[in-house]
Amino acid sequence: MGRKEIAALIDILTRENERGGESLALGAWTISFDKARGAFAFDKCEAEGYCEERPGVIALDGSVLDAGGPLFG
C-alpha cells in the first residue's frame, strides 16, 4: 500500500471506531487490501478456513461496497 491507501485506511478506521457497535471494522481479525477493487476487507473469521460471516468491504473513498454479515441464517 502507498500513502493514499494508508491515509484512507486511517480515515476508515477512525470513522468506524466512532460508530461503535454497528462498525464494520470492530471485531475484525484481519484487514486486507484488494488493489483491483480499491477496497479494504474487514474479515471477522476467527480461524483460518472457517468463517460464519462475509467480510465488510469499504472502498478507498469510504463507501461501503459490502456490509458483510452472516453466511448462515
Side-chain angles (χ1 to χ4, degrees), residues 14-52:
T14 300
R15 187 185 69 237
E16 290 296 306
N17 189 49
E18 291 170 356
R19 288 181 65 189
E22 296 180 18
S23 169
L24 299 180
L26 289 179
W29 288 85
T30 59
I31 301 170
S32 58
F33 179 67
D34 182 338
K35 186 175 181 179
R37 291 176 74 184
F40 296 96
F42 296 87
D43 196 347
K44 297 182 179 182
C45 298
E46 292 184 41
E48 291 184 35
Y50 176 77
C51 192
E52 292 185 4

Side-chain angles (χ1 to χ4, degrees), residues 8 12 37-40 57-65:
I12 290 167
R37 291 176 74 184
F40 296 96
V57 181
I58 302 175
L60 287 172
D61 66 3
S63 61
V64 176
L65 301 179

Side-chain angles (χ1 to χ4, degrees), residues 4 6 8 39 42 62:
K4 174 183 164 187
I6 291 173
F42 296 87

